[in-house]
Amino acid sequence: MAEVLVPIGPQHPALKEPVSFRVWADGEVIVRLEMDVSYNHRGIEKGAEQRDFHRTLPLLERICGICSHSHTTVFAKGIEALMQVEAPPRARAIRTVVAELERVHSHLLWLGVAAHEVGFNTLFMWTWRDREAVQDVLEALTGNRVNYGINAVGGVRRDWPPDLVSTALDRVAPLGDRVRLYADMVAREKTMLARFTGVGKLTREQVLAYGAVGPTARASGVDYDVRRDDPYLDYARLPWKVITDDHGDVLGRTLVRVGELHESLNMIQVLLRDLPPGEIRAKVPRTAPPGEFLSRYEAPRGELVHFLRTNGTDRAERVDVRTPTMANWTSVAMALRGRWLADIPVIVAAIDPCLSCTSRVSLADPEGRDRGGMTWDELREHGIRFYAEGRHER
Amino acid sequence: MTAPADLARVASVLEGLGTAEAVPGPRIRFTTTAGNLREAVRRALSGLDLDHFIQIGSVDTGKAIELHYHFTGPHRAVVTVAVALPREGTRAPSLADLLPPAGLLERQVHDLMGVEFDGHPALDRFILNEDWPAGEHPLRKDWKPREGAFYGGVRDAAPGPGGG
Amino acid sequence: MTVPALLLHLLVFPGLLFLVSWSLALEWVDRKVAARMQSRVGPPPLQPLADFVKLLGKEVIQPGGAGGRVLGLAPLLSFASVATAFLLLPVSGSSPLGFQGDLVVALYLLTVPTVALLLVGWSSSNVFAAVGGVRAVTQMFIYEVPFYLALLGPALLAGSWSVSGIVEWQAGRPWMGILQPVGLLVGLVGLQAKLERTPFDIPEAETEIVAGPLTELTGRRLAVMHLAKDALLAAGCALLAALFLGGPLRPFSAALPGAVEGFLWFAAKTLLLLLVLSTMRAATARIRIDQLDAWGWKVLCSLALAQMALVPFLASWME
């Protein structure tokens, strides 16, 4: 059969944000693909150079609608380090709680999306219903459901009275049982297992070579988690462990995320039961001395990096954002080749792509001749190997 | 855990290619030149157990364009290989063959900072739209939108096909 | 049959008017049941009708390069075939239009919508529609064999090729569903595949190929295609109910009941089968076409063949 071009995106039911895959398929098997990860440019990096630190924070919050707290926290912690101030313990605890709640709602969202991509709408509805509960807690605690606006340079903007904290605890507690139910469903539902097992397989070596991060990397046995490797906020004093898995496929990524849900829920409860007293915001100078700081953060999707440069004024000289999705694209492109057309949605969804993060500095690239920044020959070679594997698995 | 990538080790592995210093983070920054960049990265990758490439940080300081290649490894220490490039005729060797993820990041830096990466397989537009004026790199400090120039999107003045 | 009675039979009950309302009612039950399983509220009872009427009033968009005549005719053809097949099935009693061999005719007519989908997909000049159309036919070749085998089991045992004849055979005897439980199971799975519902909604996989063959159907074309799908659901359930659950028969009864009671039994059995299909839809993920290929031939087909092989023994035991 002749190769046909299947355009997936920029508008497609499988995609929640604009990205374009131009997929050449031989019948149902992907032969090669080109990727275009743009369409969402808002010029945020340029904008961040033109505002003072306090006005940059709300701007960065709008990089992403899911991991909004990640972007403000990683920036605030970098600027605080450059200013040589430290957020008070209570502020750090509050930031950690919001960060973990964000991870819970992001992973629940992901679980639903992954189920929806393989047509399992029941799980999709169930997880999103529980995600509502998390968002209600976030709204009660911060005042907002999406862009929480809790962070400030030097601390947080809102203190939590004890009754609010106990209400939040009551609402978070039942979620553990729900997550256990989903873990059970993922492990036992045959049709879902059939769609997740062996799909989007990446070995440990491939993950490292392609620079994948977060649950995508940890599902292939790569033991990187910034929360432990470069501890920030309260992670060093909290009881938790890094979840890894050695399946290396979509099932592995699911198991890692479900495991992280348990860890996060546990951390939230430990923190909320024993919030440190005291101030919530340190006094910070207006300007930051010249310097540079590589601020790393474990966002729900993986390692988020802001490379910050200050020049002695009240504005950053450079905020260079590397989002987890940006790091994961190369691995996606490699995992897709030689797979079935039907696997595209679930493999792409498995890295939990956040396109508005990735293309915050992007406009459009309809040509997109290069796929994943690899050479033709390399791609061809990988393609042949993956193709052979795909054939073999049939 | 493997041997830590401390300052002394970085200096000895990359000896003769530039200077190493410890910067807050904690992080070790190794400053080299564009000519030695590939050699420095190659030696760092094999000699310092750096298996995770984090980012190419790019900065326009007004005097030079700086590129910071951040790495980490099983020892969890972050090592940065940094180069400063002239603002005119900014060129650097491509690392896309050594580090697959660098392919995308170099295209990003190329678009935004105007760095030419020699040896990149396809240094195409990646994040700027196709009707963005050539030779304009928005994250350069001296970049300002030109009066009357078209930067993509919908043209206000010109009626579209069938519209008007 | 007199001419007015025939017209009444064709147009009102159990013909066109009944079929349309019955199909929409079944769609509502299906949607409502699935919604409750997914902890959603679900649609109000008249929602399927409202959807249908709304779609009828929408603009028909003709994609450039697409075969307009095929896109216009295929939905009508599908609905007409299913509606004709439905006339042959016993709803309140034996079908007055039934004849020896109507089972085979009904099975052929119920295949027409799938072929129509291929035609629509192929002439839509849209890659998603084309891929969907090819998937629909590929899937048909996989499920049709076990589905037919399962449905021929009752015919062989009863020694009749008429659906109504098989129903009459079951009067006073154990139903085919009890004699051939595996056949019923294979029939249900085959019907789910025929209806292209999860886990077999491969040809219409939304997240992969948008809406498959239906991608370029708009307005009344889409409305009629949806109606044909609903009618196929009604006809498929009616067929299984007749072949395996005795259709309008009352349990443990040797005689055909009156028309009203017969219809109530038919409705109850159809709803029971629908409940199974809805549960299957809500409880599974969509499998891939290669997985269906392997599973359909290895497992489903073997089960159907095994059931077939038992029929002679059953027949001698029954006598």
Side-chain angles (χ1 to χ4, degrees):
Chain A
M1 189 172 165
E3 289 176 12
V4 284
L5 171 64
V6 185
I8 309 266
Q11 268 87 38
H12 188 279
L15 306 168
K16 274 74 198 163
E17 291 173 278
V19 60
S20 171
F21 295 93
R22 292 156 62 81
V23 181
W24 277 267
D26 177 5
E28 290 270 336
V29 178
I30 302 164
V31 180
R32 59 204 166 92
L33 79 156
E34 294 174 355
M35 221 168 25
D36 179 2
V37 291
S38 39
Y39 303 103
N40 251 348
H41 178 61
R42 285 156 292 159
I44 284 177
E45 288 185 3
K46 189 78 177 171
E49 294 174 7
Q50 292 159 349
R51 287 165 171 76
D52 65 43
F53 302 128
H54 303 281
R55 290 190 172 87
T56 303
L57 221 48
L59 178 71
L60 293 179
E61 186 135 36
R62 276 144 188 87
I63 288 181
C64 179
I66 303 294
C67 41
S68 52
H69 185 72
S70 306
H71 283 279
T72 54
T73 309
V74 66
F75 179 77
K77 114 182 149 75
I79 289 298
E80 284 158 18
L82 284 163
M83 287 173 171
Q84 288 164 349
V85 294
E86 201 179 359
R90 192 173 173 85
R92 286 209 305 272
I94 289 177
R95 278 181 184 176
T96 317
V97 169
V98 176
E100 290 308 312
L101 279 171
E102 181 178 80
R103 193 179 316 278
V104 170
H105 102 72
S106 175
H107 280 359
L108 282 175
L109 173 132
W110 177 86
L111 198 55
V113 169
H116 173 66
E117 304 290 15
V118 297
F120 194 13
N121 285 334
T122 306
L123 183 56
F124 165 50
M125 297 292 171
W126 287 12
T127 52
W128 278 46
R129 201 178 136 131
D130 291 330
R131 178 175 170 261
E132 270 317 289
V134 182
Q135 293 209 289
D136 287 346
V137 172
L138 277 166
E139 186 183 6
L141 290 177
T142 68
N144 295 293
R145 282 164 58 89
V146 176
N147 291 329
Y148 317 113
I150 187 92
N151 270 327
V153 178
V156 293
R157 296 175 52 212
R158 200 175 187 202
D159 202 359
W160 295 343
D163 57 327
L164 185 64
V165 170
S166 64
T167 323
L169 254 176
D170 290 345
R171 288 204 211 163
V172 169
L175 286 172
D177 287 338
R178 301 293 296 177
V179 172
R180 258 182 288 283
L181 173 72
Y182 301 141
D184 191 47
M185 273 169 101
V186 169
R188 291 211 319 224
E189 166 51 44
K190 290 254 178 356
T191 47
M192 200 155 135
L193 279 177
R195 292 301 303 274
F196 281 4
T197 315
V199 173
K201 197 126 180 134
L202 288 171
T203 62
R204 202 187 123 81
E205 289 68 35
Q206 282 173 318
V207 160
L208 289 171
Y210 304 143
V213 295
T216 312
R218 287 195 285 277
S220 295
V222 175
D223 187 20
Y224 278 126
D225 191 318
V226 182
R227 288 175 291 175
R228 182 202 54 203
D229 303 340
D230 187 1
Y232 56 95
L233 299 183
D234 278 347
Y235 292 113
R237 73 173 176 95
L238 281 171
W240 68 285
K241 59 180 192 291
V242 177
I243 307 288
T244 58
D245 194 89
D246 46 16
H247 282 86
D249 50 12
V250 179
L251 178 66
R253 284 160 225 169
T254 313
L255 295 177
V256 166
R257 286 193 173 94
V258 169
E260 289 187 1
L261 278 172
H262 281 302
E263 295 294 325
S264 295
L265 286 170
N266 191 34
M267 274 192 263
I268 293 165
Q269 293 181 48
V270 168
L271 278 167
L272 284 180
R273 273 195 210 104
D274 191 17
L275 273 182
E279 286 296 304
I280 57 162
R281 197 164 171 180
K283 268 191 93 65
V284 293
R286 199 176 61 86
T287 63
E292 67 178 45
F293 193 80
L294 182 75
S295 189
R296 297 163 73 203
Y297 180 99
E298 190 71 24
R301 290 161 177 75
E303 179 191 39
L304 166 69
V305 179
H306 282 201
F307 181 57
L308 304 172
R309 178 64 77 86
T310 48
N311 52 9
T313 64
D314 61 348
R315 291 167 192 194
E317 179 155 275
R318 178 81 169 106
V319 181
D320 196 339
V321 182
R322 200 280 278 133
T323 58
T325 306
M326 182 77 183
N328 279 336
W329 274 131
T330 316
S331 68
V332 171
M334 299 327 297
L336 277 175
R337 299 169 59 80
R339 294 299 313 184
W340 295 85
L341 214 50
D343 287 335
I344 295 179
V346 69
I347 292 181
V348 172
I351 68 160
D352 201 359
C354 179
L355 299 162
S356 65
C357 294
T358 307
S359 42
R360 84 242 158 254
V361 286
S362 314
L363 285 155
D365 176 30
E367 288 303 305
R369 287 271 150 61
D370 182 23
R371 295 155 317 289
M374 326 216 106
T375 65
W376 249 114
D377 290 343
E378 264 179 70
L379 275 178
R380 228 178 67 82
E381 219 176 276
H382 285 300
I384 291 165
R385 200 162 62 234
F386 273 89
Y387 196 56
E389 272 176 28
R391 289 272 188 211
H392 176 71
E393 281 166 18
R394 255 192 269 179
Chain B
M1 292 280 149
T2 48
D6 56 14
L7 190 60
R9 189 141 171 265
V10 172
S12 76
V13 168
L14 300 177
E15 199 182 353
L17 298 173
T19 52
E21 62 183 311
V23 286
R27 188 158 61 94
I28 296 154
R29 185 174 66 196
F30 184 82
T31 311
T32 183
T33 60
N36 286 334
L37 177 64
R38 280 183 66 86
E39 179 59 23
V41 168
R42 192 179 293 128
R43 270 205 237 164
L45 286 178
S46 57
L48 293 172
D49 289 321
L50 300 174
D51 58 8
H52 179 48
F53 174 45
I54 301 175
Q55 188 203 14
I56 304 180
S58 58
V59 188
D60 179 4
T61 60
K63 301 185 203 73
I65 306 282
E66 291 180 13
L67 298 181
H68 296 249
Y69 295 78
H70 305 291
F71 300 90
T72 186
H75 41 65
R76 315 299 184 209
V78 180
V79 176
T80 303
V81 177
V83 287
L85 307 166
R87 296 191 79 245
E88 296 302 320
T90 316
R91 306 192 81 82
S94 169
L95 300 180
D97 53 334
L98 294 177
L99 300 162
L104 282 177
L105 294 167
E106 283 175 359
R107 285 169 65 184
Q108 176 175 326
V109 175
H110 172 242
D111 272 2
L112 298 175
M113 285 286 180
V115 181
E116 293 293 329
F117 288 93
D118 297 321
H120 192 288
L123 201 60
D124 294 338
R125 279 272 161 92
F126 176 55
I127 41 192
L128 295 180
N129 49 326
E130 77 279 14
D131 42 9
W132 186 271
E136 295 205 20
H137 303 289
L139 280 186
R140 290 220 175 192
K141 286 288 179 212
D142 50 6
W143 179 82
K144 290 221 163 37
R146 277 182 296 119
E147 198 66 31
F150 179 63
Y151 290 98
V154 181
R155 280 180 205 272
D156 291 336
Chain C
M1 224 177 171
T2 60
V3 172
L6 183 68
L7 280 180
L8 204 67
H9 187 85
L10 287 182
L11 296 178
V12 182
F13 185 89
L16 206 58
L17 193 64
F18 169 72
L19 176 62
V20 170
S21 31
W22 183 238
S23 309
L24 293 176
L26 288 188
E27 184 197 330
W28 174 73
V29 173
D30 176 45
R31 282 168 67 176
K32 188 79 182 176
V33 167
R36 293 312 297 151
M37 286 179 183
Q38 297 174 348
S39 72
R40 290 187 287 123
V41 177
L46 287 181
Q47 189 64 47
L49 180 65
D51 288 348
F52 179 67
V53 173
K54 186 195 73 175
L55 270 179
L56 279 182
K58 293 271 177 188
E59 183 191 2
V60 171
I61 297 165
Q62 175 69 33
R69 200 163 290 173
V70 176
L71 292 196
L73 280 179
L76 291 173
L77 183 70
S78 308
F79 181 70
S81 313
V82 178
T84 313
F86 193 74
L87 288 176
L88 304 173
L89 304 176
V91 172
S92 52
S94 290
S95 167
L97 301 177
F99 53 90
Q100 272 302 324
D102 63 1
L103 173 62
V104 181
V105 174
L107 283 179
Y108 269 105
L109 286 172
L110 292 183
T111 308
V112 171
T114 315
V115 180
L117 278 184
L118 170 74
L119 287 176
V120 168
W122 203 251
S123 47
S124 284
S125 98
N126 175 314
V127 65
F128 298 117
V131 171
V134 171
R135 281 186 181 189
V137 175
T138 314
Q139 178 165 325
M140 181 180 86
F141 283 120
I142 300 167
Y143 68 75
E144 288 287 75
V145 173
F147 185 64
Y148 282 12
L149 284 176
L151 264 50
L152 293 186
L156 288 181
L157 188 55
S160 165
W161 290 92
S162 146
V163 183
S164 301
I166 297 173
V167 170
E168 282 154 23
W169 184 87
Q170 291 177 81
R173 290 193 181 88
W175 293 347
M176 290 292 180
I178 295 160
L179 295 172
Q180 306 187 11
V182 178
L184 176 59
L185 203 70
V186 174
L188 273 169
V189 173
L191 182 59
Q192 186 86 337
K194 198 176 192 57
L195 293 164
E196 291 165 8
R197 291 147 56 91
T198 327
F200 309 112
D201 56 343
I202 304 165
E204 288 172 30
E206 185 205 357
T207 50
E208 296 157 24
I209 49 173
V210 188
L214 308 181
T215 306
E216 294 291 356
L217 284 185
T218 41
R220 56 179 184 273
R221 296 171 176 174
L222 187 61
V224 175
M225 203 69 209
H226 278 168
L227 188 64
K229 193 65 60 80
D230 289 344
L232 188 60
L233 176 68
C237 287
L239 185 64
L240 286 186
L243 292 185
F244 288 99
L245 301 179
L249 287 178
R250 192 195 312 154
F252 313 111
S253 155
L256 274 171
V260 175
E261 196 197 337
F263 172 72
L264 288 178
W265 282 115
F266 160 83
K269 289 165 186 174
T270 300
L271 288 174
L272 183 73
L273 291 171
L274 181 66
L275 196 68
V276 177
L277 294 181
S278 302
T279 311
M280 209 192 295
R281 178 161 82 98
T284 51
R286 179 193 321 119
I287 58 176
R288 265 194 331 251
I289 190 91
D290 60 312
Q291 291 166 343
L292 176 65
D293 196 17
W295 184 79
W297 285 108
K298 282 182 202 152
V299 179
L300 208 56
C301 209
S302 314
L303 281 176
L305 279 172
Q307 181 69 78
M308 281 286 272
L310 281 179
V311 168
F313 299 103
L314 271 175
S316 57
W317 174 72
M318 295 293 291
E319 284 160 13

